[in-house]
């Protein structure tokens, strides 16, 4: 048992989880569930399983706030003035939020506090979207025909009640990416965090609850699959925004047709990182790609490049530097500055990753290093040693299915055309990266790969640029104007100037 974790838990005085509906905190009288800390598999808190009843109450509150409340029609300046103190409060509490996020999913505190997954980043994202409040505009159109004197113009109306279902890996950022543009656009929200990570999001909702936001604009339910399904399929919800697995995304698509819900879905990925001989540094490319799989969230990020496509002439050099990188990995107490990596989120996910690793070995791939469970870490927890597969056939499961864990598959190629073909040979298309100093080559390859985002010699998602996938990686985009577009509907108004 980790004494430091228990000490931090005690100081925070974690209370039984409640629901926030219609501006009020509700002590839930229904079913509850335990949240387990992945660092030591100890219970960290108990939370309400809202289920259909809780979701019905939350959607009714959001529906009332949208249909009858002031938020959708509030002047843009007033909406922004309400949001700005909330953002400033999040900046003030960023250290506490980082602590809660680390308790949630085991992310090393150094990353939770200082990376793009931090409380500061959460506030930055909300601040960016709040800036759109008074910049959401329509268009006017020139007279089209002499047969009538009609003036056409468009407005952007908020889409309505939004069901926001968050992933567990970066809950602070997930909250901001979904709630920020929804509120800036004039929507109301019913928010559900992952059942694995409720602490940080609960604290964010408490900050919103203490603000001047009208009742029912933000509502908060907790729970597992039953609650998520109730929210995704609810007839009172106009839009669902979800980040998570492709399998769950497909189920959301299947139930959304009943009332033609609008959807924003960021789903899985099997991203490719392509390393050409023209790369500035093979060592840097190998360290970057292996590091994304082995440190921070240990590969539990949908944009992580889990397929390394490496030119045959530099393949051995790449493998050498990848093996050197993992020597720097340190597991353990997430509040210890020496810890580099997060545990796997659950025992079920450990079993899934191990099953995929075993399938790779059975199908003939060679495990160069790693892949074993690490059961000697003080405090226990869910740990898998970072792994690199060689001799990988593109048809193997390990080359096609998402690990969402610390595993990289290295595949050699001989030509640019082959690299493009291998990168596109996937049912996913979320992200990717290219390492080359030949900018013409980089642009040529980037344009040829079917993916929602790709970086040349570096990549990171930011609040003011769109992010999302193609193929099985999702629908829609999040970030910048694309987010506002996703939470608004275009209304066309025609005015007869002759009558």
């Amino acid at each position: 048992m980790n004494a430091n974790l228990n000490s931090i838990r005690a100081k925070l005085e974690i209370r039984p989880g409640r629901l926030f509906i219609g501006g009020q905190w509700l002590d839930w009288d229904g079913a509850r569930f335990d949240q387990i800390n992945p660092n030591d598999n100890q219970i960290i808190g108990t939370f309400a399983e809202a289920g259909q009843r809780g979701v019905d109450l939350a959607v009714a509150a959001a529906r009332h706030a949208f249909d009858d409340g002031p938020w959708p029609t509030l002047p843009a300046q007033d909406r922004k003035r309400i949001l700005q103190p909330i953002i400033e409060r999040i900046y003030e509490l960023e250290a506490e939020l980082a602590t809660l996020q680390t308790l949630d999913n085991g992310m090393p505190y150094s990353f939770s506090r200082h990376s793009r997954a931090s409380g500061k980043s959460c506030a930055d994202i909300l601040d960016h979207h709040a800036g759109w409040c008074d910049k959401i505009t329509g268009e006017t159109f020139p007279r089209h025909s002499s047969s009538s004197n009609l003036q056409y113009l468009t407005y952007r109306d908020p889409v309505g009640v939004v069901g926001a279902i968050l992933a567990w890996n970066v809950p602070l950022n997930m909250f901001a990416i979904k709630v920020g543009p929804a509120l800036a656009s004039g929507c109301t929200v019913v928010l559900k965090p992952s059942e694995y990570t409720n602490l940080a999001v609960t604290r964010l909702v408490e900050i919103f609850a203490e603000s001047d936001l009208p009742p029912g604009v933000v509502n908060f339910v907790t729970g597992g699959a039953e609650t998520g399904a109730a929210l995704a399929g609810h007839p009172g919800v106009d839009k669902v925004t979800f980040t998570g697995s492709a399998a769950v995304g497909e189920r959301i698509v299947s139930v959304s047709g009943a009332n033609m819900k609008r959807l924003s879905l960021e789903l899985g990925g099997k991203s490719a990182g392509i390393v050409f001989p023209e790369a500035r540094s093979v060592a840097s490319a190998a360290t970057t790609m292996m590091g994304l799989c082995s440190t921070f969230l240990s590969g539990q990020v949908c944009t992580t490049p889990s397929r390394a496509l490496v030119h045959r002439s530099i393949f051995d050099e790449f493998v050498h530097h990848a093996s050197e990188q993992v020597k720097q990995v340190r597991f353990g107490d997430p509040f210890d500055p020496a810890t580099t990596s997060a545990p796997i989120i659950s025992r079920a996910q450990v079993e899934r990753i191990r099953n995929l690793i075993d399938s790779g070995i059975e199908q003939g791939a060679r495990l160069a290093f790693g892949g074993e469970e690490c059961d000697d870490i003080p405090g226990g927890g869910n740990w898998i040693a970072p792994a690199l597969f060689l001799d990988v056939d593109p048809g193997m499961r390990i080359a096609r299915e998402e690990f969402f864990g610390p595993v990289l598959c290295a595949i050699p190629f001989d030509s640019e055309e082959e690299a493009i073909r291998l990168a596109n040979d996937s049912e996913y298309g979320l992200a990717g990266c290219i390492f080359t100093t030949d900018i013409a080559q980089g642009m040529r390859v980037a344009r040829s790969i079917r993916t929602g985002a790709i970086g040349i010699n570096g990549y990171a998602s930011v609040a003011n640029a769109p992010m999302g996938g193609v193929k099985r990686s999702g629908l829609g985009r999040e970030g910048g104007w694309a987010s506002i577009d996703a939470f608004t509907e275009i209304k066309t108004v025609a005015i007869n100037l002759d009558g």
Side-chain angles (χ1 to χ4, degrees):
M1 186 174 291
N2 193 309
N4 189 36
L5 280 177
N6 285 335
S7 172
I8 291 170
R9 290 169 184 149
K11 288 179 182 177
L12 289 171
E13 298 181 346
I14 297 168
R15 301 182 301 173
R18 300 174 293 171
L19 308 183
F20 185 69
I21 296 175
Q24 300 292 324
W25 286 101
L26 304 181
D27 291 313
W28 192 238
D29 60 357
R32 305 188 71 83
F33 66 96
D34 295 330
Q35 180 179 317
I36 307 299
N37 185 284
N39 275 98
D40 58 11
N41 286 311
Q42 300 296 309
I43 295 173
I44 197 168
T46 176
F47 294 88
E49 182 68 63
Q52 188 68 57
R53 179 164 65 97
V55 169
D56 285 345
L57 292 171
V59 172
R63 190 81 261 165
H64 177 70
F66 184 81
D67 294 337
D68 305 312
W71 189 252
T73 57
L74 205 64
Q77 190 176 55
D78 293 343
R79 195 182 299 150
K80 189 175 181 180
R81 283 174 174 165
I82 291 173
L83 292 175
Q84 206 59 53
I86 298 172
I87 295 165
E88 294 307 317
R89 184 63 173 151
I90 293 172
Y91 279 124
E92 292 173 8
L93 297 177
E94 54 87 14
E96 179 186 348
L97 290 165
T99 299
L100 290 167
Q101 180 170 250
T102 291
L103 289 175
D104 267 329
N105 62 13
M107 182 190 304
Y109 182 72
S110 57
F111 288 100
S112 199
R113 184 81 192 277
H114 299 297
S115 74
R116 289 187 175 89
S118 67
K120 294 188 288 289
S121 178
C122 171
D124 288 343
I125 295 168
L126 288 168
D127 184 62
H128 166 77
H129 286 105
W132 282 110
C133 286
D134 56 3
K135 302 172 186 66
I136 301 173
T137 61
E139 297 178 283
T140 60
F141 301 87
R143 185 174 177 181
H144 184 262
S145 169
S146 59
S147 62
S148 64
N149 190 17
L150 293 176
Q151 172 66 60
Y152 284 85
L153 62 155
T154 59
Y155 292 88
R156 282 191 173 267
D157 292 339
V159 72
V161 173
V162 173
I165 305 173
L166 313 188
W168 57 261
N169 53 355
V170 282
L172 294 176
N173 273 18
M174 285 288 122
F175 180 101
I177 287 168
K178 297 181 185 305
V179 172
L183 296 186
S185 302
C187 299
T188 60
V189 179
V190 178
L191 174 77
K192 191 198 90 68
S194 165
E195 63 269 34
Y196 295 119
T197 51
N198 300 278
L199 300 176
V201 175
T202 298
R203 188 68 184 100
L204 284 171
V205 175
E206 289 174 350
I207 295 169
F208 275 72
E210 295 161 359
S211 74
D212 293 328
L213 203 67
V217 174
V218 170
N219 305 274
F220 171 64
V221 297
T222 53
E226 177 191 352
T227 300
L231 181 56
H234 201 288
V237 171
D238 300 298
K239 176 183 173 69
V240 172
T241 173
F242 167 78
T243 298
S245 73
V248 175
E250 288 166 359
R251 290 198 290 273
I252 292 174
V253 171
S254 71
V255 301
S256 67
N259 68 334
M260 292 297 173
K261 286 181 176 61
R262 277 41 181 165
L263 299 175
S264 295
L265 306 175
E266 185 184 314
L267 308 177
K270 193 68 177 176
S271 300
I274 305 176
V275 187
F276 288 101
E278 293 82 5
R280 183 177 295 113
S281 167
V282 177
S284 177
T287 299
T288 297
M289 292 184 67
M290 196 70 235
L292 289 170
C293 288
S294 65
T295 62
F296 181 37
L297 281 162
S298 299
Q300 297 171 107
V301 180
C302 52
T303 56
T304 296
S306 56
R307 292 182 296 153
L309 309 181
V310 185
H311 194 272
R312 198 176 301 276
S313 66
I314 55 172
F315 190 83
D316 291 343
E317 183 182 357
F318 179 94
V319 171
H320 166 74
H321 290 295
S323 64
E324 289 296 305
Q325 187 280 327
V326 298
K327 295 177 182 179
Q328 311 305 314
V329 171
R330 297 290 182 270
F331 295 153
D333 179 356
F335 293 96
D336 183 342
T339 299
T340 63
S341 312
I344 307 304
I345 191 62
S346 68
R347 291 306 307 170
Q349 180 62 8
V350 168
E351 294 305 314
R352 182 184 175 280
I353 294 169
R354 283 293 312 155
N355 177 270
L356 268 176
I357 290 171
D358 290 343
S359 79
I361 296 170
E362 290 167 4
Q363 291 185 310
R366 177 161 57 94
L367 190 58
F369 54 77
E372 69 276 6
E373 288 190 56
C374 303
D375 54 11
D376 59 345
I377 307 301
N382 308 323
W383 305 97
I384 294 179
L388 178 67
F389 269 110
L390 308 177
D391 300 334
V392 178
D393 185 278
M396 292 177 178
R397 285 183 61 197
I398 59 172
R400 310 202 68 78
E401 297 182 26
E402 184 178 34
F403 271 99
F404 220 67
V407 185
L408 181 64
C409 296
I411 303 172
F413 67 86
D414 294 300
S415 67
E416 181 180 306
E417 294 74 19
E418 184 184 10
I420 293 169
R421 178 180 59 77
L422 288 169
N424 284 333
D425 185 18
S426 174
E427 61 183 357
Y428 294 104
L430 184 59
C433 53
I434 301 163
F435 295 90
T436 180
T437 53
D438 183 339
I439 192 62
Q441 179 185 60
M443 289 299 297
R444 188 168 60 243
V445 174
R447 293 299 304 274
S448 299
I449 295 176
R450 290 198 64 209
T451 188
I454 193 161
I456 302 174
N457 299 323
Y459 171 76
S461 58
V462 290
N464 61 343
M467 176 65 199
V470 300
K471 299 190 282 187
R472 202 166 178 241
S473 287
L475 300 170
R477 296 293 182 270
E478 294 176 322
W481 172 251
S483 283
I484 302 301
D485 183 46
F487 286 92
T488 55
E489 298 277 18
I490 295 175
K491 178 183 289 180
T492 302
V493 177
I495 306 170
N496 188 344
L497 299 180
D498 290 334

